[in-house]
Amino acid sequence: MAEETGGLTPGRQSIIPINIEDEMRGAYIDYSMSVIISRALPDVRDGLKPVHRRVLFGMLELGVNYNKPYKKSARIVGEVLGKYHPHGDASVYDTMVRMAQDWSLRYTLVDGQGNFGSIDGDSPAAMRYTEARLRRIAEEMLADINKDTVDFQPNFDDSLTEPSVLPAKIPNLLVNGSSGIAVGMATNMAPHNLREVIDGTIAYIDNNEITIPELMKFVTAPDFPTGALIYGYSGVQEAFLTGRGRVIMRAKAEIVTSSTGKDQIIVTEIPYMVNKAQMIEKTAALVNEKKIEGISDIRDESDREGYRIVYDLKKDAIANIVLNNLYKYTQLQSSFGVNNVALVKGRPMTLNLKDMIKYFVEHRHDVIVRRTKFELAEAERRAHILEGYLIALDHLDEVISLIRNSKDPETAKDGLMTRFGLSEIQAKAILDMRLQRLTGLERDKIQQEYKEVKELIDRLKDILSNESLRMQIIKNELADIRDRYGDERRTTVIHSDEDITLEDMIPNEEMVITISNQGYIKRTSLSEYRTQGRGGVGSKGVSTKDDDFTEHLFIAQAHNYLLIFTDQGKVYWKKAYEIPEGNKTSKGRAVQNLINIEPGDAVRAIINVKNLTDEQYINNNYVILCTVKGTIKKTSLEAYSRPRQGGINAITIHEGDKLLNASLTNGNNHIIIAKSEGKAVHFHESDVRPMGRMAAGVRGVTLDSETDTVIGMVCITRADANLLVVSENGYGKRSLTDDYRITKRGGMGVKTLNITDKTGKLVAIKEVVDEDELMIINRSGITIRIKVSELRVMGRATQGVRLIKLNDDDRISSVEKIQQIVEVKNEGSDGLDSTTRPIVHTESSISEQDIDDTPDNDTDEPENDDTNNHDTEQQ
């Protein structure tokens, strides 16, 4: 505390005690508000800080318009410093320089001549060497400023006035963005495409209730002056919705092969605000430190035509890996932290996309109203004078006589006002009138001008009384700006894995997925396979090596999950559309490149799952697994609902055994397991209790001999379905499901096909109906597609009929059912034509009452129920 030491004496001031905390608090608040309002934050209306506004206004006052000669930058800086901005000359010059750099502003406002720096961080030449003038688009920011459209305030010494805001025909805050650090807050606003912003603004004017997502159909994303890519859309959405977000920017890079045969990465566009020279220098340091490998040389080949950075790769380098490392460790990928803080009526606010457009439209509306009032006053003033002219012309001789007889102009003025009822302004105008205006032609011009001015007055009054008309004027002016200055986007938006759902972009079509014996996988459009008659030769389906053949064939829809089971009992997850696409004759891609399958393991079965997020679905469906040695296991689908990159164990496989098949069931299905020796066992799914993923399962069927194996498992889903069996030599048949009596699991089964040397061993068993079709592939890759309806129903112990003609050394490797394809009328609101889809039946209509424990009289051999063994879980 300061203390008063004495009374007042002449020439001395009193000392007032002040609490230092209060003084510092008040002073700091004053300082911070001065920085916020008068230095660091842009105004929401014109998107400019005071220094930018003063530079543009100073250049206008100096007369350096776009169509006038350039003036020295030092002259412009001196004009702005002396009249409006009493700070260091560097601040003014740096501001003007940045407004002239096409890599700093999306739409530059200053036309610079000379060295204005570079994207490598080179400083501009001194202001005495460079010249500048306004760009035409900058004059749109200043248009109508002399028509009382904005408020003017005194400059720093009250000798002049300066605008507090510019009329701003263009939405500059969105178009060019802004950045600044105030006290306790900061702003960082991204630039956008002028054409998109104006389209969005017009859409807002048409519908003030428009939502931000609807606005984003027009203003899609920031548009940076250096182009490049926006990687991921979630940050853009967040910024538009909240005013804050993180936009990831990536350089535009292309992988090419040089004339020497080596790969190169060519970068032609870099992220916004990245110093190119520093980026290359830091990248070279990372290469030398071995943090980025595979690069042999880096060259900057940029010129006046554009940017070009060349990364030469080593011979053994994988270009995509090197590029991803460059994105990860260098500024080829950087982020722009959007923080839309601007001054709204003198207060800092965080603004979303709609807010910025709304405040700009309000500003333009205010400008239109003030401009119209100004023009109306001018028009009325002119109409008043023209009315005086017309009165004088109507009494021309009297006016001339009065003026001639007056001793001085003042007497003449008073005489005109008294004699003809004119105002002082009219009287002065008549006295100032040139004699040539008295001719007949000039009289007609005055009358025509008066008519036009009256029409203008009526139109201006109409504008002032009609808000929709004012909004139409704003739209028309914006459309004119868009047509004259709008351009295409420079920055491309690409979606990252985190924020895009590929299903939205991929049609949910049916596809054929094939896997060869040696593990090559592909997907092919179902339409590539044409229907043939029974017994046909078939069409070429898969090109494989001599020792390879197609072993698995699966029909799925693009959006489905595929659960991929391997010989050793592991399960992996893949979306159907993630399988590489190929035509009928292509080889496919090694499955090891798609999933992390262990060495020595092989894909054995695939099941088609609708989704893994619907709790009711995954808790009420089960996966039934069957092994070659006859073990069966049932597990809830929920146990497989959490995909992992490396897969998980689905069943414990004993030595000498391997997984054969997997099926999805609803908990109430019947199961038929067939063996290569031609027998099958039929039991209800409830005979198999649900187990955990790591369990080994229980016995499903007893094998006849050491050479006997399980060749297939069918889960019955329809009461009207038949069982189709196919032998390796191309014979097959349909039999009634009722021919297979229901027993307990674990038995030896009954005969399903009369096995002979002619038929060969059993290779497949399927559930079919008349509307289904079959696709059969043999080891040489030949395919045939036939209709099930062409096969008549036979007894289960017969030999069957020939399905496909085989060469002597060929065998059938895979049989797959294609479900009925029907035309289904789309009843959606989009009015699409009819589309095709499969009819899928999942409910089993066989009940527990159908189970018959009586002996089967048709069997060639007695059935062994093996009741003593089948209930023991295989540990």
Side-chain angles (χ1 to χ4, degrees), residues 313-496:
L313 303 187
K314 295 178 180 178
K315 187 175 182 179
D316 58 346
I318 301 175
N320 279 323
I321 294 177
V322 175
L323 181 57
N324 286 333
N325 283 331
L326 287 172
Y327 284 142
K328 182 176 181 180
Y329 295 112
T330 75
Q331 286 186 298
L332 284 187
Q333 176 173 307
S334 59
S335 63
F336 187 94
V338 176
N339 185 23
N340 294 336
V341 178
L343 294 175
V344 179
K345 298 178 181 178
R347 293 177 176 271
M349 289 180 58
T350 301
L351 308 169
N352 59 35
L353 175 62
K354 185 176 180 180
D355 291 336
M356 289 186 283
I357 291 176
K358 179 185 75 171
Y359 289 121
F360 171 75
V361 171
E362 288 179 357
H363 172 57
R364 283 304 299 168
H365 181 263
D366 185 49
V367 167
I368 296 299
V369 170
R370 294 181 61 160
R371 184 183 70 187
T372 305
K373 288 180 178 179
F374 177 86
E375 291 176 346
L376 178 61
E378 290 292 310
E380 289 176 338
R381 186 179 298 112
R382 181 61 181 167
H384 184 59
I385 292 173
L386 291 173
E387 287 171 354
Y389 283 167
L390 292 174
I391 292 173
L393 291 173
D394 289 340
H395 305 83
L396 184 58
D397 293 338
E398 294 180 61
V399 169
I400 293 174
S401 176
L402 188 150
I403 295 174
R404 177 183 283 173
N405 295 327
S406 298
K407 64 179 181 178
D408 54 36
E410 191 68 26
T411 304
K413 181 187 72 174
D414 293 340
L416 289 172
M417 292 172 60
T418 304
R419 181 81 175 269
F420 302 106
L422 301 175
S423 67
E424 184 176 357
I425 294 174
Q426 289 173 323
K428 283 184 177 181
I430 291 172
L431 291 173
D432 293 337
M433 214 172 150
R434 299 175 64 182
L435 288 176
Q436 70 178 29
R437 304 300 299 271
L438 302 180
T439 64
L441 183 62
E442 289 295 324
R443 178 189 179 95
D444 293 340
K445 287 183 179 179
I446 292 173
Q447 291 176 334
Q448 180 63 29
E449 183 184 0
Y450 180 70
K451 179 182 177 183
E452 292 173 355
V453 170
K454 291 297 288 183
E455 291 175 352
L456 175 62
I457 291 172
D458 293 339
R459 185 166 68 252
L460 293 174
K461 288 182 177 179
D462 191 22
I463 292 172
L464 289 175
S465 62
N466 190 338
E467 183 178 359
S468 63
L469 193 55
R470 297 194 294 272
M471 288 299 176
Q472 186 61 45
I473 292 173
I474 296 174
K475 287 169 58 177
N476 293 341
E477 291 181 351
L478 286 172
D480 179 60
I481 294 291
R482 177 190 61 199
D483 296 340
R484 284 197 284 146
Y485 304 106
D487 57 5
E488 298 299 323
R489 282 189 63 86
R490 297 182 187 177
T491 302
T492 303
V493 180
I494 60 173
H495 294 278
S496 65

Side-chain angles (χ1 to χ4, degrees), residues 182-241:
V183 178
M185 64 184 66
T187 185
N188 201 35
M189 309 180 78
H192 296 80
N193 184 269
L194 176 63
R195 188 176 294 170
E196 291 185 359
V197 171
I198 289 180
D199 286 341
T201 305
I202 292 175
Y204 169 79
I205 294 173
D206 290 336
N207 176 20
N208 291 164
E209 302 302 320
I210 191 172
T211 64
I212 295 178
E214 290 172 336
L215 279 174
M216 288 166 60
K217 296 177 181 178
F218 301 96
V219 188
T220 55
D223 189 22
F224 299 109
T226 55
L229 310 172
I230 291 177
Y231 181 67
Y233 202 62
S234 58
V236 175
Q237 287 179 312
E238 187 178 0
F240 281 157
L241 291 169

Side-chain angles (χ1 to χ4, degrees), residues 31 88 113 213 279 283 335 349 355 507 519 534 544 571 594 617 627 631 643 654 687 750 808 812 815 820 828 852:
Y31 164 73
Q113 183 170 264
M279 180 190 72
T283 303
S335 63
M349 289 180 58
D355 291 336
R534 177 174 64 83
T544 62
V571 61
L594 301 179
Y617 176 75
T627 72
T631 298
H654 294 302
D687 283 357
V750 297
D808 293 340
I812 287 179
V815 179
Q820 177 192 7
D852 181 10

Side-chain angles (χ1 to χ4, degrees), residues 485-766:
Y485 304 106
D487 57 5
E488 298 299 323
R489 282 189 63 86
R490 297 182 187 177
T491 302
T492 303
V493 180
I494 60 173
H495 294 278
S496 65
D497 296 338
E498 292 79 10
D499 62 17
I500 185 171
T501 304
L502 289 178
E503 284 86 343
D504 294 338
M505 303 173 64
I506 298 174
N508 196 22
E509 344 180 276
E510 285 197 314
M511 55 186 62
V512 178
I513 296 176
T514 56
I515 305 175
S516 75
N517 178 259
Q518 294 190 358
Y520 290 92
I521 188 170
K522 69 173 181 178
R523 60 183 170 92
T524 307
S525 173
L526 188 62
S527 62
E528 284 203 28
Y529 295 86
R530 65 179 185 271
T531 303
Q532 297 181 5
R534 177 174 64 83
V537 177
S539 61
K540 187 67 177 175
V542 183
S543 293
T544 62
K545 296 184 293 185
D546 292 340
D547 57 346
D548 196 11
F549 59 90
T550 299
E551 187 172 352
H552 303 284
L553 184 146
F554 189 79
I555 309 298
Q557 289 183 311
H559 295 182
N560 292 1
Y561 265 105
L562 303 184
L563 268 57
I564 305 173
F565 295 86
T566 68
D567 281 346
Q568 301 305 313
K570 292 199 72 173
V571 61
Y572 300 84
W573 292 263
K574 272 291 173 186
K575 283 282 192 177
Y577 60 75
E578 294 176 333
I579 305 300
E581 187 173 10
N583 56 36
K584 283 174 56 179
T585 59
S586 63
K587 177 180 177 181
R589 186 176 176 187
V591 72
Q592 288 85 350
N593 292 337
L594 301 179
I595 59 177
N596 297 326
I597 192 169
E598 297 176 357
D601 204 357
V603 173
R604 180 49 53 189
I606 304 176
I607 63 174
N608 192 12
V609 177
K610 181 175 65 176
N611 66 62
L612 294 176
T613 57
D614 186 340
E615 291 191 8
Q616 183 176 359
Y617 176 75
I618 63 177
N619 287 320
N620 289 286
N621 285 276
Y622 301 87
V623 174
I624 299 286
L625 303 175
C626 180
T627 72
V628 171
K629 295 297 184 182
T631 298
I632 191 170
K633 176 186 169 183
K634 176 181 177 182
T635 306
S636 171
L637 180 60
E638 192 276 336
Y640 305 103
S641 63
R642 292 169 287 277
R644 297 183 191 172
Q645 186 70 24
I648 59 175
N649 287 327
I651 184 175
T652 299
I653 299 294
H654 294 302
E655 186 176 356
D657 199 2
K658 62 181 181 181
L659 186 66
L660 172 70
N661 203 357
S663 293
L664 190 67
T665 72
N666 60 12
N668 193 36
N669 293 117
H670 285 244
I671 297 170
I672 296 179
I673 300 176
K675 301 181 291 183
S676 62
E677 297 294 343
K679 291 185 179 180
V681 64
H682 181 187
F683 56 89
H684 193 268
E685 181 184 344
S686 60
D687 283 357
V688 187
R689 62 182 177 82
M691 304 175 187
R693 281 194 303 105
M694 299 302 295
V698 296
R699 179 176 297 174
V701 64
T702 299
L703 302 180
D704 290 335
S705 64
E706 292 184 1
T707 61
D708 196 13
T709 60
V710 174
I711 55 89
M713 175 184 69
V714 172
C715 294
I716 306 298
T717 59
R718 296 182 58 170
D720 60 343
N722 301 140
L723 282 179
L724 171 85
V725 291
V726 180
S727 72
E728 61 182 351
N729 288 343
Y731 287 84
K733 66 170 182 179
R734 281 200 294 166
S735 301
L736 296 175
T737 306
D738 292 341
D739 287 352
Y740 299 82
R741 71 182 184 88
I742 301 174
T743 64
K744 295 295 183 180
R745 65 172 173 83
M748 295 184 68
V750 297
K751 183 178 292 186
T752 184
L753 184 73
N754 189 22
I755 299 297
T756 65
D757 292 339
K758 181 179 179 181
T759 62
K761 290 191 174 183
L762 204 62
V763 294
I765 181 171
K766 300 291 175 184

